[in-house]
Amino acid sequence: MTAGGTTLIYARIAGTGSFLPQRVLTNAELERLVDTSDEWVASRTGIRQRHIAADGQTTCDLAEGAARAALAAAGVEPDEIELLVLGTTTPDLIFPSTACLLQHRLGADGCAAFDVNAACSGFIYALSVADKFIRAGTVKTALVVGAETLSRMIDWSDRATCVLFGDGAGAVVLKAATEPGILSTHLHADGGYKDLLWNPVGVSVGFKPGEKNAGVRVLMTGNEVFKVAVKTLDRVVEETLEANGLDRHAIDWLIPHQANLRIIQATAKRLDLPMERVIVTVDKHGNTSAGSVPLALDHGVRSGKVQRGQLLLLEAFGGGFTWGSALVRY
Ligand code: COA
């Protein structure tokens, strides 16, 4: 594509990958941990099971599995990566970043590598950052990852949160191309909602060196989060369509953040999209935060549902609050 005689550069998804830890935790097993039921969890959230990282298995381990699968699918060697952006809210270490740990494991030393913490919107944020680098002509090949081990900061005695989350990672390789590609990304945040979904312990608040940090846990006012999420996702979907001059019926696939099936259904309804055109993995993965959108995308691609040339709407909402979307010609 050209504009005023100048060839435009787009970021195109060259390959996708994902990785899930082996251990599956079912709702039936959770019934033995807290006062809940498979019926309650499945009917309120759509979740039936989630994957849980093994002892010693880290966010970087999951990210590596997803990254290697995406690189193989793209036919890209690690030393071709010029930028690595990784969305996570559960990094292996406070520093170095998980992106740096992953870069070294892959043998991509030397390229820029950094983490993005935007909670469940982490992958959409990371994708948007990498898209800008490619569009600016700064890099030609980027690896974008969303990876989490949320199980490590769940209070397993709190039924309001422990039934919702899981571990996993997804990744995409982006390459510069003359045809789209990522058409637009839209990022937002409102820190005024901090207390509705948060972890009250950080490095400069509540952290006790040398002691067991029992206060590290996800706290959430679920029904309030639910209401804001539905309204906010409606708005960002409208914004994305408007920015691209598109009718809602133009979307081939909705690839949403996988937090709750009822939130996903509300967004699909807004788009007048039948659920057959929505990639749903929440039943099997639970909410894997920054891992969820790239896991769903990879599932859509590898199952043969998502085809080259189709128009995909990716969206996410999470703690912060943060939210965002990406319109992608796959
Ligand atoms: N099992 C059984 N009962 C449970 C339960 C569980 N795991 N968790 C909560 N309950 C109970 C509550 O205690 C409450 O009981 P009460 O009526 O006696 O007080 C009742 O179920 C209803 O709770 P409520 O929180 O109003 O339910 P809900 O329909 O809003 O569903 C969520 C709860 C968490 C599933 C839902 O609010 C949700 O998905 N919110 C968004 C979460 C989200 O997306 N977070 C991440 C954003 S990235």
Side-chain angles (χ1 to χ4, degrees):
M1 280 194 180
T2 58
T6 313
T7 303
L8 295 175
I9 306 172
Y10 292 96
R12 191 172 158 271
I13 296 179
T16 67
S18 59
F19 188 85
L20 289 158
Q22 221 176 358
R23 162 94 166 100
V24 170
L25 180 67
T26 63
N27 291 348
E29 287 173 89
L30 283 172
E31 286 177 3
R32 298 198 281 274
L33 277 184
V34 288
D35 180 15
T36 192
S37 65
D38 174 48
E39 198 281 326
W40 192 95
V41 178
S43 63
R44 301 275 178 137
T45 71
I47 301 168
R48 298 213 166 258
Q49 61 169 54
R50 69 288 290 144
H51 290 249
I52 303 292
D55 284 348
Q57 192 174 34
T58 69
T59 295
C60 189
D61 294 330
L62 308 188
E64 183 183 358
R68 289 198 188 279
L71 288 165
V76 165
E77 293 300 324
D79 64 4
E80 293 175 62
I81 301 168
E82 294 171 272
L83 172 70
L84 199 171
V85 192
L86 187 146
T88 190
T89 191
T90 50
D92 287 27
L93 304 169
I94 291 165
F95 72 90
S97 68
T98 306
C100 284
L101 304 179
L102 176 63
Q103 180 210 45
H104 185 62
R105 289 233 201 135
L106 294 174
D109 296 348
C111 74
F114 56 91
D115 287 359
V116 171
N117 179 350
C120 297
S121 311
F123 177 77
I124 298 285
Y125 265 64
L127 188 74
S128 178
V129 170
D131 176 50
K132 308 282 186 232
F133 270 83
I134 289 182
R135 280 191 183 227
T138 313
V139 306
K140 288 195 170 54
T141 306
L143 175 64
V144 184
V145 186
E148 303 276 13
T149 45
L150 240 72
S151 64
R152 297 275 153 71
M153 60 180 191
I154 295 299
D155 175 352
W156 290 99
S157 65
D158 176 13
R159 70 175 182 175
T161 53
C162 77
V163 300
L164 302 175
F165 298 98
D167 300 333
V172 300
V173 173
L174 295 181
K175 289 195 84 166
T178 50
E179 296 294 324
I182 297 174
L183 290 157
S184 69
T185 59
H186 307 267
L187 303 183
H188 298 279
D190 185 342
Y193 287 103
K194 180 197 86 183
D195 295 346
L196 290 187
L197 176 55
W198 64 310
N199 187 324
V201 172
V203 179
S204 67
V205 177
F207 182 71
K208 299 193 179 85
E211 285 183 33
K212 195 165 177 252
N213 287 284
V216 177
R217 66 195 185 283
V218 175
L219 297 175
M220 183 174 70
T221 312
N223 44 15
E224 292 299 318
V225 176
F226 188 99
K227 282 185 241 163
V228 183
V230 169
K231 272 196 232 145
T232 307
L233 288 170
D234 274 357
R235 279 209 312 276
V236 83
V237 163
E238 293 296 336
E239 178 189 344
T240 312
L241 294 173
E242 241 178 77
N244 290 279
L246 287 176
D247 178 79
R248 60 186 176 153
H249 296 110
I251 304 298
D252 290 308
W253 290 101
L254 174 64
I255 306 187
H257 173 48
Q258 310 282 323
N260 184 311
L261 186 60
R262 291 184 293 141
I263 298 178
I264 295 173
Q265 285 165 336
T267 310
K269 198 168 166 207
R270 184 75 170 198
L271 284 164
D272 194 25
L273 205 60
M275 285 307 286
E276 296 74 53
R277 306 300 279 178
V278 181
I279 303 293
V280 175
T281 53
V282 70
D283 53 333
K284 300 219 163 49
H285 302 168
N287 180 351
T288 58
S289 187
S292 104
V293 172
L295 265 161
L297 172 62
D298 187 50
H299 174 77
V301 168
R302 285 176 197 262
S303 63
K305 290 180 176 171
V306 172
Q307 298 285 324
R308 284 286 175 200
Q310 289 184 324
L311 198 57
L312 320 181
L313 179 56
L314 281 53
E315 47 85 339
F317 179 90
F321 288 149
T322 57
W323 63 98
S325 66
L327 187 73
V328 178
R329 178 71 66 190
Y330 178 64

